[in-house]
Amino acid sequence: MADLPHLGVGLGYREPMRRDILANLGGLDFFEVVTDAYFRNPKALQALASLKTCIPHSLHCSVGSSTEPAYLEKVAGIVESLAPPWHSDHLAFTHAGNVSSGHLAPIPYTDEALDLVVQNIRRIQARIPVPFALENITMVFYWPHSTMDEHTFLSEVVRRTGCHLLLDLENVRVNTINHGLYGRGGRDFLDALPLERVAQVHIAGGQHHKGLEHDTHAAPVSAATWDLLSYLCDHVTPPGILLERDAALPPFSELLAEVQRARSIVQRVLA
Amino acid sequence: MSMEAMQVVAAKLLTDHEYRASFFDAPPNAFADHGLERAEFLVLRMLDASKLDIVSEGYVGKRWDVIGSVFPRTLDALAHFCPGARQTYLESTSTPANDTEERAAFRTFLDETIDVATDERRYLCDLAHLDGALHDHPLPAGLPEYRFRPESTKPRRAADAITLAVAGPLEHHIGLRTNTSAPRLEASSSPLPWSYSESPRNLLVLREGGSFTLELLDDNQAALLASCDGTQTVAALVQAHGTDADNRLRTWFRHRIVEDAASV
């Protein structure tokens, strides 16, 4: 990770938080911005980017099916305007043919899918000369004909493309519970990844609904996810740790406290 | 196996409850009906239909969340005029490819589909127009920086200044003190009798901090704003448009309608 700057601990920028964020800039090290929200007006980010580093995070590169050139151009425009140390999207598909999946959908972990993902990431890297980080998602289902594990798949993508990882620890927690995929509460999953390639970490809180865990970003970070962050930081110091909160917004002081808790974990390990 | 064919079906399973039911109820030899080979069909039939139901519910909720994040005032008004709008919208529209298409689908829904009176439809469409503009043009961070020197300040229309062409008197129906208020309707009673006559006009959105007001952009103001191209000083503009232009330009600077081309 020597090639990436260490940004510290940040917050996912959302417009409803704007006033609180601007009033508490000192407590936040960087922001992540969802590119798709600014395609119509990329200039809206300029003022924010003049205050703190903004990491572009896109939603629909759909590396698991086809990365559309027109979409990639829009992302490239945002990335170029922000000049971030990296940008990111998900290991997922959001459309297949002309059909939308409505959200980030999982892909099968097969050789065919691996070739496709590698091809799409190389296309992104060729168009946007800024390090790209790939995020693990919450798997709403697990493809029964997968021939390898998620961590094997991710590791191979990283090896073949040289991309980085955006490690979403809440998604690890959710997948651990919903699918029983990873041992030791997700720690086995972390152990199997090339952690030196982690550019950024996501932490968030989810909710339990009808027997399943959901990555809603609408609750405080759970104890299990804090544990995963501590475990991760025992092994590496991620260049960026980011708190995501999209709904059921609490008093901003609570979000700042979570940011500070993450910062304390990193500092404890460094000390 | 065709990855794309399987993903197409998986996408439909996640977003279309009728398709989902038909897929899992279909006989084992119905694979061709779904564009799949037999092996592909069998793999997808191994998925847990009940879990897909739960996940799909979440997707539907997120669709409405997207709309609420862009059109908060419109949804407030919809709650008055058409309490069942959420369900009607989600049932009458397919899952769009992205948030941009979701927004477009919602605007079309207001314009063509929703069952409301003509005045109400006109009002909702104007309100959605306002919501979309406010969402797309958030105020830049910090206070506006300018020095108002009539002889050297050169007003130029700011990139995020919002003017709206609306169909009715929206400025009379929107909360004046906060950007989160619903339209001026009586919450406890039917909004009727109520009118929102067809009366096309141009409005200027004056924002400050977290609030905004809507101001009628009459011909004189429109001409003044059009002249704010960064080439003329305040003094020159006042000379051309009259003494009222001085106060007008001071207001516009404060509300970021214009910026000083001489210093920015």
Side-chain angles (χ1 to χ4, degrees), chain B residues 202 217-229 232 237 240-241 245 248-249 252:
Chain B
N202 291 313
L217 190 67
D218 61 26
D219 290 345
N220 290 336
Q221 291 181 35
L224 176 60
L225 186 58
S227 299
C228 291
D229 59 4
Q232 301 181 70
L237 290 167
H241 294 272
R248 180 67 52 198
L249 289 168
W252 286 357

Short mmCIF file of all heavy atoms in Angstrom, two decimals, chain B residues 202 217-229 232 237 240-241 245 248-249 252:
data_model
loop_
_atom_site.label_atom_id
_atom_site.label_comp_id
_atom_site.label_asym_id
_atom_site.label_seq_id
_atom_site.Cartn_x
_atom_site.Cartn_y
_atom_site.Cartn_z
N ASN B 202 -41.67 32.48 -14.86
CA ASN B 202 -40.30 32.13 -14.52
C ASN B 202 -40.02 32.55 -13.09
O ASN B 202 -40.41 33.66 -12.68
CB ASN B 202 -39.30 32.81 -15.47
CG ASN B 202 -39.38 32.24 -16.87
OD1 ASN B 202 -39.40 31.02 -17.05
ND2 ASN B 202 -39.46 33.11 -17.86
N LEU B 217 -39.56 36.07 -11.53
CA LEU B 217 -38.53 36.69 -12.36
C LEU B 217 -39.24 37.42 -13.49
O LEU B 217 -39.57 36.84 -14.53
CB LEU B 217 -37.60 35.61 -12.91
CG LEU B 217 -36.33 36.07 -13.61
CD1 LEU B 217 -35.37 36.75 -12.63
CD2 LEU B 217 -35.62 34.89 -14.28
N ASP B 218 -39.52 38.74 -13.26
CA ASP B 218 -40.26 39.48 -14.29
C ASP B 218 -39.31 39.85 -15.43
O ASP B 218 -38.12 39.56 -15.40
CB ASP B 218 -40.94 40.71 -13.68
CG ASP B 218 -39.95 41.69 -13.08
OD1 ASP B 218 -38.78 41.71 -13.51
OD2 ASP B 218 -40.35 42.44 -12.15
N ASP B 219 -39.87 40.51 -16.41
CA ASP B 219 -39.07 40.80 -17.61
C ASP B 219 -37.86 41.66 -17.29
O ASP B 219 -36.77 41.45 -17.85
CB ASP B 219 -39.95 41.49 -18.67
CG ASP B 219 -40.98 40.55 -19.25
OD1 ASP B 219 -40.83 39.33 -19.05
OD2 ASP B 219 -41.94 41.04 -19.87
N ASN B 220 -38.04 42.65 -16.39
CA ASN B 220 -36.92 43.52 -16.06
C ASN B 220 -35.79 42.74 -15.37
O ASN B 220 -34.62 42.93 -15.69
CB ASN B 220 -37.38 44.65 -15.13
CG ASN B 220 -38.28 45.64 -15.87
OD1 ASN B 220 -38.19 45.75 -17.09
ND2 ASN B 220 -39.13 46.34 -15.13
N GLN B 221 -36.20 41.90 -14.44
CA GLN B 221 -35.19 41.12 -13.73
C GLN B 221 -34.51 40.13 -14.67
O GLN B 221 -33.30 39.89 -14.58
CB GLN B 221 -35.81 40.37 -12.56
CG GLN B 221 -36.27 41.28 -11.44
CD GLN B 221 -36.88 40.48 -10.30
OE1 GLN B 221 -36.42 39.39 -10.02
NE2 GLN B 221 -37.88 41.04 -9.67
N ALA B 222 -35.31 39.53 -15.54
CA ALA B 222 -34.73 38.58 -16.49
C ALA B 222 -33.71 39.27 -17.39
O ALA B 222 -32.65 38.71 -17.69
CB ALA B 222 -35.84 37.94 -17.32
N ALA B 223 -34.03 40.49 -17.78
CA ALA B 223 -33.10 41.23 -18.64
C ALA B 223 -31.82 41.56 -17.87
O ALA B 223 -30.71 41.47 -18.42
CB ALA B 223 -33.78 42.51 -19.14
N LEU B 224 -31.99 41.93 -16.61
CA LEU B 224 -30.82 42.24 -15.79
C LEU B 224 -29.94 40.99 -15.61
O LEU B 224 -28.72 41.04 -15.77
CB LEU B 224 -31.26 42.76 -14.41
CG LEU B 224 -30.15 43.03 -13.40
CD1 LEU B 224 -29.16 44.08 -13.92
CD2 LEU B 224 -30.75 43.48 -12.05
N LEU B 225 -30.60 39.87 -15.32
CA LEU B 225 -29.84 38.63 -15.12
C LEU B 225 -29.12 38.22 -16.41
O LEU B 225 -27.97 37.77 -16.38
CB LEU B 225 -30.78 37.51 -14.65
CG LEU B 225 -30.12 36.19 -14.26
CD1 LEU B 225 -29.09 36.39 -13.15
CD2 LEU B 225 -31.17 35.17 -13.81
N ALA B 226 -29.80 38.40 -17.52
CA ALA B 226 -29.17 38.05 -18.80
C ALA B 226 -27.95 38.92 -19.08
O ALA B 226 -27.01 38.51 -19.76
CB ALA B 226 -30.19 38.17 -19.93
N SER B 227 -27.98 40.14 -18.52
CA SER B 227 -26.85 41.07 -18.73
C SER B 227 -25.66 40.74 -17.83
O SER B 227 -24.57 41.28 -18.03
CB SER B 227 -27.29 42.51 -18.47
OG SER B 227 -28.32 42.86 -19.37
N CYS B 228 -25.91 39.91 -16.85
CA CYS B 228 -24.83 39.56 -15.91
C CYS B 228 -23.95 38.48 -16.54
O CYS B 228 -24.04 37.30 -16.21
CB CYS B 228 -25.41 39.07 -14.59
SG CYS B 228 -26.23 40.35 -13.63
N ASP B 229 -23.12 38.91 -17.45
CA ASP B 229 -22.25 37.96 -18.15
C ASP B 229 -20.79 38.13 -17.78
O ASP B 229 -19.90 37.56 -18.42
CB ASP B 229 -22.44 38.10 -19.66
CG ASP B 229 -22.13 39.51 -20.15
OD1 ASP B 229 -21.70 40.36 -19.32
OD2 ASP B 229 -22.33 39.78 -21.34
N GLN B 232 -19.70 43.46 -17.56
CA GLN B 232 -20.09 44.82 -17.18
C GLN B 232 -20.01 45.00 -15.66
O GLN B 232 -20.34 44.09 -14.90
CB GLN B 232 -21.53 45.10 -17.63
CG GLN B 232 -21.74 44.97 -19.12
CD GLN B 232 -23.18 45.29 -19.50
OE1 GLN B 232 -23.62 46.45 -19.41
NE2 GLN B 232 -23.92 44.28 -19.88
N LEU B 237 -24.33 48.33 -15.15
CA LEU B 237 -25.64 47.65 -15.16
C LEU B 237 -26.72 48.54 -14.57
O LEU B 237 -27.86 48.55 -15.05
CB LEU B 237 -25.55 46.33 -14.38
CG LEU B 237 -24.73 45.22 -15.07
CD1 LEU B 237 -24.43 44.08 -14.09
CD2 LEU B 237 -25.47 44.68 -16.29
N ALA B 240 -27.76 51.01 -17.06
CA ALA B 240 -28.57 50.45 -18.13
C ALA B 240 -29.95 50.00 -17.67
O ALA B 240 -30.92 50.05 -18.43
CB ALA B 240 -27.83 49.28 -18.76
N HIS B 241 -30.05 49.54 -16.41
CA HIS B 241 -31.31 48.92 -15.95
C HIS B 241 -32.02 49.70 -14.86
O HIS B 241 -33.05 49.25 -14.36
CB HIS B 241 -31.01 47.50 -15.45
CG HIS B 241 -30.55 46.57 -16.53
ND1 HIS B 241 -31.40 45.82 -17.29
CD2 HIS B 241 -29.31 46.30 -16.99
CE1 HIS B 241 -30.71 45.10 -18.17
NE2 HIS B 241 -29.43 45.39 -18.00
N ALA B 245 -31.58 48.19 -9.85
CA ALA B 245 -30.63 47.11 -10.15
C ALA B 245 -29.56 47.00 -9.07
O ALA B 245 -29.05 45.90 -8.82
CB ALA B 245 -29.99 47.35 -11.52
N ARG B 248 -31.00 44.97 -6.31
CA ARG B 248 -31.23 43.63 -6.85
C ARG B 248 -29.92 42.84 -6.91
O ARG B 248 -29.84 41.68 -6.50
CB ARG B 248 -31.84 43.76 -8.24
CG ARG B 248 -32.15 42.48 -8.95
CD ARG B 248 -33.24 41.71 -8.28
NE ARG B 248 -34.43 42.52 -8.04
CZ ARG B 248 -35.38 42.18 -7.17
NH1 ARG B 248 -35.26 41.09 -6.46
NH2 ARG B 248 -36.44 42.96 -7.02
N LEU B 249 -28.89 43.49 -7.40
CA LEU B 249 -27.60 42.80 -7.54
C LEU B 249 -27.00 42.46 -6.18
O LEU B 249 -26.39 41.39 -6.00
CB LEU B 249 -26.63 43.65 -8.36
CG LEU B 249 -26.98 43.74 -9.84
CD1 LEU B 249 -26.15 44.82 -10.53
CD2 LEU B 249 -26.77 42.39 -10.52
N TRP B 252 -28.72 39.41 -5.11
CA TRP B 252 -28.29 38.24 -5.90
C TRP B 252 -26.89 37.77 -5.49
O TRP B 252 -26.61 36.58 -5.52
CB TRP B 252 -28.33 38.58 -7.39
CG TRP B 252 -29.74 38.65 -7.93
CD1 TRP B 252 -30.89 38.39 -7.25
CD2 TRP B 252 -30.13 39.00 -9.26
NE1 TRP B 252 -31.99 38.56 -8.07
CE2 TRP B 252 -31.55 38.93 -9.31
CE3 TRP B 252 -29.44 39.37 -10.40
CZ2 TRP B 252 -32.26 39.22 -10.47
CZ3 TRP B 252 -30.15 39.65 -11.56
CH2 TRP B 252 -31.56 39.58 -11.60
#
